Amino acid sequence: MAWKLYGYRVMKFNPELKEIKTYEAGKPIELVSREYGIDEKDIIKLASNENPYGVSPKVVQAVKKQLNKMYQYPDDSMYELKNSLATKFDLESTNFIIGAGSDQIIEFIIRAKANKNSPILSAKTTFAMYDIYAKQIGSCSIKTPSHQHNLDEFFKMYKQHNNISIIFLCLPNNPLGESLDKDEVFEFISKIDKDTLVVVDGAYQDFASFKDSKKKILPKELIENFSNTLYLGTFSKSYGLGGMRVGYGVANQSIIQTLYKLRPPFNVTTLSLVAAKSALEDEEFVQHTIKNNFKQMKIYEEFAKNNQIDFIDSYTNFITFIFDDQYSSKKIFETLFKKGIIIRDLTSYGINGIRVTIGTKEQNTKFLQEFEKILKA
Amino acid sequence: MAWKLYGYRVMKFNPELKEIKTYEAGKPIELVSREYGIDEKDIIKLASNENPYGVSPKVVQAVKKQLNKMYQYPDDSMYELKNSLATKFDLESTNFIIGAGSDQIIEFIIRAKANKNSPILSAKTTFAMYDIYAKQIGSCSIKTPSHQHNLDEFFKMYKQHNNISIIFLCLPNNPLGESLDKDEVFEFISKIDKDTLVVVDGAYQDFASFKDSKKKILPKELIENFSNTLYLGTFSKSYGLGGMRVGYGVANQSIIQTLYKLRPPFNVTTLSLVAAKSALEDEEFVQHTIKNNFKQMKIYEEFAKNNQIDFIDSYTNFITFIFDDQYSSKKIFETLFKKGIIIRDLTSYGINGIRVTIGTKEQNTKFLQEFEKILKA
């Protein structure tokens, strides 16, 4: 090695990095195809809560027209997309910050508000990135005892630790699927100090509010009632754009302006801006997605009941099965994986369970057939 | 305001944020069109060093075929693009980290290595994001006295401040255009402690090495000779993909693994991965871009000589004109802007000068005509 010329030494980095584990994403189809020699067409991925109905054809057309603009940096003001969002939610452009997925907004929030002495608070089992971003900056995460959201526990922990910087409410919750009524959420927020930021992560809100209007939390109502709140939305789920990385934060202008200080320029691609804007113009596609989702979810619920498997009542586009000692979620995951069916094992969350995205009718049938074989084996 | 119900108070954020100024990007064509009512077709943007020859038609074709995959999260291992890069640079996949532009790699580096007590070191006038990311984490930037890269000054500052975490060498330099010979760069790095990271930002390296092979710095040679180095590359310039946000860092595996801890999942879009991979397969387009760039640059140099304007010998796809008191760069910028010609004013860098992207023949002719009118006025 030529390094020897000048001496090789392992470089020291900032100490916070030692604690960080890398986020493990759902395995992509290409990887499973490579590893197990299964044709990509035959692989069923129900692991990442992508839209099983794909992309709106109108979005495909809109993006196709802009392919010759790939050389141009994106409009960094995101003028058009922000205007469309403002119209949709009856707010001002200045109430929005757009990120490479709502993930990126979570990162901005945590870097802006949390620190070594001010942890974040979340449900025991919820979106993993809250913790990961907190650890990246040397902060940490306080968790409620229950896996699912329990606002009494949230309030108790909030009072017990008097230094919470941000409370994350993932409504409905990923990866478990439960949600909370708007009324109880608003009552909870009214008891929180105005200097603690309460984030309502609404990545799956449109699924929840379709199923039960009591769960519906409108960004406008939230942020106009509570100056210390931020709403998160995404184009990755019902809007069918998981691959384009577009999400947004909604809050009062003062919070948005502060988060803007952490936004890298050009954080959303030229084509992603076009895709998101045109996705907003095809609400029919979104509604079709959501309706079919809950129609298909019934088949999963029936299956679970018939096979005496516990499941969490889901307000999202996935369902979570919880097993007793008879089954091991890890083993179920592995058996399905080798057959080209990718789901999410919840072992790493301390839960003997699996999370399955509600797919198309064909995907669901195939999955349930193979799943049944395992249960009967 | 409904806020009053629960009381409105301006939220406190982490104190580092106070110091941060938001990066001002080159103004997009759409904005100029809106503000001045000029047709988008008639606007000439020579402000962001985008590829004036647009996107490779092969890339457009490759992306078009994948539009129906926009709903799928990107392959987070970036298997194919990393393999292509590894082949191109005769290195291993594990030597690469891919970011949303090389910008994002700069952010990872600074967050991993710099801190309040360990500033970064760079040339007085160089890529603005080094400073911005340093300020975001409460670190700061030490600058050489000279605007352009001067390695004697770098070494003096490095010795004087014995706590430098990262040295940024932007070769060639944006926004000035000068570059350094590989031999002097390597000699400089050999005198730097192995725990100080030296970053060679090669965003415009392919332009520099085409013009003068002595400037050519190969990632392989750099990182195999010096364990404390990282090379930055981008698809935004000669590869014609500024809007797709793809860049990369090259270093030994140990450094790459550490930076990976700060990488958010899915940081590059599904279509961007396809675009970048296919761009690597059309080197002819890149060479055509670079050849034409320097052919057109001669016209700018001639113009400058004929008009007694100072310019910096440029190893990039832009040229920097420096004015004496006779002219004001701010005024020149504004006059051109109103005519729909967008360039970059360097006033904010403390320089009475402008940076102009070398465009197509037609764009350059139009710019020089209008510029001449101002000089003669």
Side-chain angles (χ1 to χ4, degrees):
Chain A
M1 267 286 129
W3 281 332
K4 282 178 193 149
L5 276 175
Y6 299 100
Y8 179 77
R9 202 197 309 161
V10 173
M11 186 166 275
K12 283 194 281 289
F13 286 97
N14 288 331
E16 305 90 78
L17 270 63
K18 282 198 192 110
E19 299 301 313
I20 303 171
K21 272 189 276 182
T22 310
Y23 174 80
E24 205 183 325
K27 300 213 183 285
I29 289 174
E30 298 88 338
L31 183 132
V32 183
S33 173
R34 279 194 306 274
E35 281 189 10
Y36 294 94
I38 306 170
D39 197 306
E40 285 195 20
K41 289 195 313 298
D42 299 328
I43 293 172
I44 294 176
K45 186 182 170 200
L46 300 173
S48 299
N49 307 335
E50 292 155 337
N51 191 326
Y53 308 102
V55 198
S56 149
K58 287 182 185 163
V59 173
V60 169
Q61 284 312 310
V63 174
K64 196 181 270 175
K65 278 189 202 144
Q66 303 292 322
L67 290 178
N68 60 348
K69 290 209 176 155
M70 284 191 275
Y71 75 100
Q72 282 180 12
Y73 283 96
D75 171 7
D76 206 38
S77 72
M78 309 196 198
Y79 180 85
E80 296 200 10
L81 179 56
K82 276 197 198 167
N83 269 1
S84 298
L85 284 167
T87 305
K88 177 181 166 72
F89 292 115
D90 189 22
L91 286 162
E92 302 292 323
S93 283
T94 46
N95 292 121
F96 293 86
I97 180 165
I98 296 171
S102 50
D103 250 67
Q104 194 177 35
I105 313 296
I106 297 168
E107 188 192 327
F108 298 158
I109 299 163
I110 288 176
R111 290 176 61 196
K113 186 74 182 156
N115 57 53
K116 279 186 183 61
N117 307 313
S118 299
I120 66 168
L121 173 61
S122 70
K124 183 171 176 184
T125 296
T126 190
F127 189 45
M129 294 311 299
Y130 308 147
D131 291 12
I132 292 174
Y133 289 126
K135 275 189 189 150
Q136 279 185 0
I137 59 153
S139 183
C140 69
S141 189
I142 308 291
K143 303 272 192 182
T144 60
S146 299
H147 284 289
Q148 297 182 44
H149 284 67
N150 174 321
L151 289 178
D152 292 336
E153 289 181 7
F154 266 88
F155 192 66
K156 209 168 145 189
M157 307 297 287
Y158 163 74
K159 281 288 177 192
Q160 199 176 310
H161 303 264
N162 63 355
N163 57 351
I164 300 293
S165 54
I166 311 170
I167 299 172
F168 281 97
L169 302 176
C170 189
L171 301 173
N173 187 23
N174 173 20
L176 298 183
E178 90 280 6
S179 205
L180 297 173
D181 286 359
K182 183 196 81 177
D183 287 348
E184 52 179 335
V185 172
F186 277 30
E187 202 208 313
F188 168 78
I189 300 174
S190 72
K191 296 185 293 185
I192 302 299
D193 184 88
K194 288 288 165 290
D195 202 48
T196 303
L197 184 65
V198 182
V199 175
V200 173
D201 186 339
Y204 300 88
Q205 256 289 317
D206 41 6
F207 292 99
S209 49
F210 176 90
K211 182 170 174 175
D212 178 357
S213 61
K214 289 199 299 295
K215 311 294 181 199
K216 186 174 196 159
I217 297 175
L218 285 170
K220 184 183 171 73
E221 200 181 350
L222 178 74
I223 71 166
E224 291 189 350
N225 271 292
F226 307 103
S227 64
N228 59 329
T229 57
L230 183 136
Y231 180 93
L232 290 173
T234 184
F235 286 91
S236 299
K237 307 300 172 187
S238 57
Y239 285 88
L241 292 176
M244 299 306 280
R245 317 305 299 122
V246 195
Y248 51 90
V250 194
N252 67 59
Q253 286 185 34
S254 158
I255 293 176
I256 295 296
Q257 274 168 13
T258 303
L259 297 182
Y260 248 87
K261 294 185 172 195
L262 293 170
R263 189 190 67 95
F266 311 122
N267 59 324
V268 177
T269 81
T270 299
L271 297 186
S272 303
L273 289 173
V274 176
K277 186 179 178 284
S278 57
L280 284 177
E281 290 159 10
D282 192 2
E283 275 297 331
E284 210 181 312
F285 174 82
V286 176
Q287 289 310 311
H288 170 266
T289 294
I290 297 174
K291 265 181 214 158
N292 277 292
N293 174 69
F294 286 112
K295 215 160 111 184
Q296 288 295 313
M297 196 182 288
K298 284 215 171 66
I299 303 171
Y300 280 82
E301 290 169 350
E302 281 303 310
F303 179 92
K305 283 173 197 161
N306 293 339
N307 289 276
Q308 280 98 47
I309 295 171
D310 272 348
F311 65 91
I312 299 171
D313 191 24
S314 171
Y315 292 84
T316 65
N317 68 348
F318 58 82
I319 192 161
T320 298
F321 293 137
I322 311 285
F323 305 122
D324 54 29
D325 291 348
Q326 201 185 150
Y327 303 111
S328 147
S329 65
K330 195 161 177 270
K331 227 168 151 178
I332 291 171
F333 166 80
E334 282 166 2
T335 309
L336 290 166
F337 194 67
K338 284 175 196 156
K339 291 185 172 172
I341 298 174
I342 325 173
I343 55 158
R344 192 67 81 96
D345 173 25
L346 299 179
T347 301
S348 66
Y349 291 93
I351 294 174
N352 183 22
I354 55 172
R355 188 193 72 182
V356 187
T357 305
I358 310 298
T360 59
K361 195 177 169 187
E362 295 69 31
Q363 291 173 327
N364 299 332
T365 306
K366 181 83 191 289
F367 162 76
L368 290 172
Q369 271 171 3
E370 295 296 335
F371 186 33
E372 194 168 25
K373 280 187 205 163
I374 299 174
L375 299 178
K376 300 269 154 84
Chain B
M1 267 288 127
W3 281 332
K4 283 176 192 150
L5 276 175
Y6 301 100
Y8 180 77
R9 201 198 307 160
V10 173
M11 186 168 274
K12 285 194 280 286
F13 286 96
N14 289 329
E16 305 89 78
L17 298 186
K18 284 202 191 104
E19 299 300 313
I20 303 171
K21 271 190 275 182
T22 310
Y23 174 80
E24 207 183 326
K27 302 215 181 280
I29 288 174
E30 297 88 339
L31 184 132
V32 183
S33 172
R34 278 195 305 276
E35 281 189 9
Y36 293 94
I38 305 170
D39 197 307
E40 285 196 20
K41 291 193 310 296
D42 299 329
I43 294 172
I44 293 175
K45 186 181 170 200
L46 301 173
S48 299
N49 307 334
E50 291 154 337
N51 191 325
Y53 307 102
V55 198
S56 149
K58 287 181 186 165
V59 173
V60 170
Q61 283 313 311
V63 174
K64 196 181 272 177
K65 278 188 203 146
Q66 303 291 322
L67 290 179
N68 61 348
K69 291 209 176 156
M70 283 191 275
Y71 75 100
Q72 282 179 10
Y73 281 95
D75 171 7
D76 206 39
S77 73
M78 310 196 197
Y79 180 85
E80 297 200 9
L81 179 55
K82 277 197 196 165
N83 267 2
S84 298
L85 284 168
T87 305
K88 178 181 165 74
F89 291 116
D90 189 20
L91 284 162
E92 302 293 323
S93 282
T94 46
N95 292 121
F96 293 86
I97 181 166
I98 296 172
S102 50
D103 250 65
Q104 195 177 34
I105 313 295
I106 297 169
E107 189 192 326
F108 299 158
I109 299 163
I110 288 176
R111 290 177 60 196
K113 185 75 182 156
N115 56 54
K116 279 185 183 61
N117 307 312
S118 298
I120 66 169
L121 173 61
S122 70
K124 183 171 178 184
T125 295
T126 189
F127 189 44
M129 293 310 300
Y130 309 147
D131 291 13
I132 291 175
Y133 289 126
K135 275 189 190 150
Q136 279 186 359
I137 58 153
S139 182
C140 70
S141 188
I142 308 290
K143 303 268 193 186
T144 61
S146 299
H147 285 288
Q148 297 182 45
H149 283 67
N150 175 321
L151 289 178
D152 292 336
E153 289 181 7
F154 266 87
F155 193 66
K156 211 169 147 189
M157 307 298 286
Y158 163 75
K159 281 286 177 196
Q160 198 175 310
H161 303 265
N162 62 357
N163 58 351
I164 300 293
S165 54
I166 311 169
I167 300 171
F168 281 97
L169 303 175
C170 190
L171 302 173
N173 188 23
N174 175 19
L176 297 182
E178 90 278 8
S179 207
L180 296 174
D181 286 0
K182 184 195 81 175
D183 287 348
E184 53 179 335
V185 172
F186 277 31
E187 202 207 316
F188 169 77
I189 300 174
S190 72
K191 295 184 294 185
I192 302 299
D193 183 88
K194 289 289 164 289
D195 202 48
T196 303
L197 184 65
V198 182
V199 174
V200 173
D201 186 341
Y204 299 88
Q205 256 289 319
D206 42 5
F207 292 100
S209 49
F210 176 92
K211 182 170 174 175
D212 178 357
S213 61
K214 288 200 300 295
K215 311 292 181 202
K216 186 174 198 160
I217 297 176
L218 284 171
K220 185 183 170 74
E221 198 181 353
L222 178 73
I223 71 166
E224 291 189 351
N225 271 293
F226 307 103
S227 64
N228 60 329
T229 57
L230 182 137
Y231 179 93
L232 289 173
T234 184
F235 286 91
S236 299
K237 306 301 171 189
S238 58
Y239 285 88
L241 292 176
M244 298 306 280
R245 316 306 298 125
V246 196
Y248 51 89
V250 194
N252 66 57
Q253 287 185 34
S254 158
I255 293 176
I256 295 296
Q257 274 168 13
T258 303
L259 297 182
Y260 247 88
K261 293 184 171 196
L262 293 171
R263 188 190 68 96
F266 310 123
N267 59 325
V268 177
T269 81
T270 299
L271 297 186
S272 303
L273 289 173
V274 175
K277 184 177 179 284
S278 56
L280 283 177
E281 290 159 10
D282 192 2
E283 275 297 330
E284 210 180 312
F285 174 82
V286 176
Q287 289 310 311
H288 169 265
T289 294
I290 297 174
K291 264 181 213 158
N292 277 293
N293 174 69
F294 286 110
K295 216 160 112 183
Q296 288 296 313
M297 197 182 288
K298 284 214 170 68
I299 303 170
Y300 280 81
E301 290 169 351
E302 281 304 309
F303 179 92
K305 282 172 197 159
N306 293 340
N307 289 276
Q308 279 98 48
I309 295 170
D310 271 350
F311 65 92
I312 298 171
D313 191 23
S314 171
Y315 292 84
T316 66
N317 68 347
F318 58 82
I319 191 161
T320 299
F321 293 136
I322 311 284
F323 306 121
D324 54 30
D325 290 347
Q326 200 184 152
Y327 302 111
S328 148
S329 64
K330 194 161 178 271
K331 229 168 149 178
I332 291 172
F333 166 80
E334 283 165 1
T335 310
L336 290 166
F337 193 67
K338 284 174 196 159
K339 292 185 171 172
I341 298 173
I342 324 172
I343 55 157
R344 192 66 80 97
D345 173 25
L346 299 179
T347 301
S348 66
Y349 292 92
I351 294 173
N352 183 22
I354 55 172
R355 187 194 72 181
V356 187
T357 305
I358 309 298
T360 59
K361 195 176 169 189
E362 294 69 30
Q363 292 173 326
N364 300 331
T365 306
K366 181 83 192 291
F367 162 77
L368 290 171
Q369 272 170 3
E370 294 297 334
F371 186 35
E372 194 168 27
K373 280 186 205 165
I374 299 173
L375 300 177
K376 300 268 154 81

